[in-house]
Amino acid sequence: MSGRRFGARRQVRLSDTDDRGRLRLDAVARYLQDVASDDWTDAGFDPDAHVWVVRRTWIRQVRACTADEHVELQTWCSGLASAAAARRYSLRGDRGGELEAESIWIHLDHDLRPVRLGDAFVSVYGPSAAGRRAPTRLELRAPPPDASALPWFVRASDIDRLGHMNNAAYWGPVEELWGGRLGGAAHLLLEYRQPIDRAEEVLVASEGNGLWLTVGGLVRAAAAILPA
């Protein structure tokens, strides 16, 4: 594949794992956003000149990474839209852990309005996209009326500098409700529809392979376990 690729390394630490030593998906999401930020800075872009928010992320876990495993990460641009870009990720551990992921990032100004990608971005990241389009359309269905729901409390540590729940924190409810299903191969999609703020009263609804974070009856985020 032609075009820019960026690599980094992580070691799975105690704070990244569940009680069985599996690398949790919220920790995976932090790895993804950190390596994306590192790539952006390494490419010569000013990290404070742009705002990027995640629209959706899918993670395909072939085999979970485990405690103390050394992980090699690779990331590259895999699609472009007028004000959005797709970013692929590949994670390989030295003990056999293997995950693939892709996030759709929306490009915003500091008033959080979409801004078209500039020529400098397309020059650096366009070759690896190879003409592919970044899909921004949401796919997951709304929760059924009878889906069971529980309160979810947003913590101060979940909030990022935009004042909203950080994208990695949305994987916390996924781990809470589905952690027992994530020991082997798994394929999940999480869509971010509207931000969640610290003071809001959040409910987590679930049914079967679907999960929804709602505020005042409106879906703010949705997740699903997809066919492997």
mmCIF file of all heavy atoms in Angstrom, residues 2 4 18 49 64 76-77 111 138 193 227:
data_model
loop_
_atom_site.group_PDB
_atom_site.id
_atom_site.type_symbol
_atom_site.label_atom_id
_atom_site.label_comp_id
_atom_site.label_asym_id
_atom_site.label_seq_id
_atom_site.Cartn_x
_atom_site.Cartn_y
_atom_site.Cartn_z
ATOM 1 N N SER A 2 0.564 2.213 -0.846
ATOM 2 C CA SER A 2 1.327 3.452 -0.899
ATOM 3 C C SER A 2 0.756 4.452 0.088
ATOM 4 O O SER A 2 -0.350 4.307 0.595
ATOM 5 C CB SER A 2 1.287 4.024 -2.323
ATOM 6 O OG SER A 2 -0.039 4.352 -2.673
ATOM 7 N N ARG A 4 1.285 7.437 3.429
ATOM 8 C CA ARG A 4 1.835 7.565 4.763
ATOM 9 C C ARG A 4 1.283 6.511 5.714
ATOM 10 O O ARG A 4 0.073 6.267 5.768
ATOM 11 C CB ARG A 4 1.522 8.964 5.307
ATOM 12 C CG ARG A 4 2.018 9.177 6.742
ATOM 13 C CD ARG A 4 1.668 10.571 7.243
ATOM 14 N NE ARG A 4 2.001 10.717 8.661
ATOM 15 C CZ ARG A 4 3.203 11.034 9.111
ATOM 16 N NH1 ARG A 4 4.192 11.259 8.263
ATOM 17 N NH2 ARG A 4 3.426 11.157 10.407
ATOM 18 N N ASP A 18 -8.789 -6.093 32.136
ATOM 19 C CA ASP A 18 -9.867 -6.525 33.025
ATOM 20 C C ASP A 18 -9.330 -7.538 34.035
ATOM 21 O O ASP A 18 -8.115 -7.771 34.112
ATOM 22 C CB ASP A 18 -11.042 -7.090 32.219
ATOM 23 C CG ASP A 18 -10.727 -8.400 31.502
ATOM 24 O OD1 ASP A 18 -9.609 -8.937 31.668
ATOM 25 O OD2 ASP A 18 -11.601 -8.891 30.770
ATOM 26 N N ALA A 49 -4.626 23.715 16.036
ATOM 27 C CA ALA A 49 -5.243 24.468 14.947
ATOM 28 C C ALA A 49 -6.533 23.832 14.440
ATOM 29 O O ALA A 49 -7.290 24.465 13.717
ATOM 30 C CB ALA A 49 -4.256 24.621 13.791
ATOM 31 N N ALA A 64 -7.499 -11.326 21.664
ATOM 32 C CA ALA A 64 -7.276 -10.246 22.616
ATOM 33 C C ALA A 64 -5.802 -10.153 23.009
ATOM 34 O O ALA A 64 -5.120 -11.155 23.166
ATOM 35 C CB ALA A 64 -8.124 -10.465 23.863
ATOM 36 N N TRP A 76 -3.109 4.559 9.345
ATOM 37 C CA TRP A 76 -3.037 5.250 8.056
ATOM 38 C C TRP A 76 -4.431 5.754 7.683
ATOM 39 O O TRP A 76 -5.447 5.269 8.202
ATOM 40 C CB TRP A 76 -2.487 4.334 6.962
ATOM 41 C CG TRP A 76 -3.311 3.104 6.674
ATOM 42 C CD1 TRP A 76 -4.254 2.959 5.698
ATOM 43 C CD2 TRP A 76 -3.270 1.853 7.385
ATOM 44 N NE1 TRP A 76 -4.801 1.693 5.743
ATOM 45 C CE2 TRP A 76 -4.212 0.986 6.764
ATOM 46 C CE3 TRP A 76 -2.529 1.371 8.465
ATOM 47 C CZ2 TRP A 76 -4.441 -0.309 7.210
ATOM 48 C CZ3 TRP A 76 -2.758 0.073 8.912
ATOM 49 C CH2 TRP A 76 -3.698 -0.754 8.277
ATOM 50 N N CYS A 77 -4.473 6.730 6.821
ATOM 51 C CA CYS A 77 -5.744 7.252 6.327
ATOM 52 C C CYS A 77 -6.327 6.271 5.317
ATOM 53 O O CYS A 77 -5.662 5.877 4.366
ATOM 54 C CB CYS A 77 -5.537 8.619 5.681
ATOM 55 S SG CYS A 77 -7.054 9.360 5.031
ATOM 56 N N ASP A 111 -15.457 26.436 16.834
ATOM 57 C CA ASP A 111 -16.867 26.585 17.185
ATOM 58 C C ASP A 111 -17.631 25.288 16.948
ATOM 59 O O ASP A 111 -18.862 25.261 17.010
ATOM 60 C CB ASP A 111 -17.508 27.710 16.378
ATOM 61 C CG ASP A 111 -16.953 29.075 16.757
ATOM 62 O OD1 ASP A 111 -16.702 29.285 17.960
ATOM 63 O OD2 ASP A 111 -16.750 29.908 15.859
ATOM 64 N N LEU A 138 -24.734 7.025 9.712
ATOM 65 C CA LEU A 138 -24.968 6.149 10.859
ATOM 66 C C LEU A 138 -25.841 4.971 10.437
ATOM 67 O O LEU A 138 -26.750 5.114 9.615
ATOM 68 C CB LEU A 138 -25.652 6.938 11.980
ATOM 69 C CG LEU A 138 -24.832 8.110 12.539
ATOM 70 C CD1 LEU A 138 -25.663 8.904 13.531
ATOM 71 C CD2 LEU A 138 -23.547 7.622 13.175
ATOM 72 N N ARG A 193 -23.464 9.871 18.301
ATOM 73 C CA ARG A 193 -24.459 10.706 17.639
ATOM 74 C C ARG A 193 -24.459 12.140 18.157
ATOM 75 O O ARG A 193 -24.458 13.083 17.376
ATOM 76 C CB ARG A 193 -25.846 10.075 17.792
ATOM 77 C CG ARG A 193 -25.874 8.659 17.220
ATOM 78 C CD ARG A 193 -27.247 8.090 17.105
ATOM 79 N NE ARG A 193 -27.209 6.767 16.478
ATOM 80 C CZ ARG A 193 -28.274 6.115 16.042
ATOM 81 N NH1 ARG A 193 -29.466 6.661 16.163
ATOM 82 N NH2 ARG A 193 -28.143 4.923 15.475
ATOM 83 N N PRO A 227 -21.620 -9.624 13.341
ATOM 84 C CA PRO A 227 -21.160 -10.973 13.011
ATOM 85 C C PRO A 227 -19.637 -10.998 12.851
ATOM 86 O O PRO A 227 -19.045 -10.096 12.238
ATOM 87 C CB PRO A 227 -21.869 -11.274 11.691
ATOM 88 C CG PRO A 227 -23.077 -10.389 11.706
ATOM 89 C CD PRO A 227 -22.656 -9.139 12.406
#
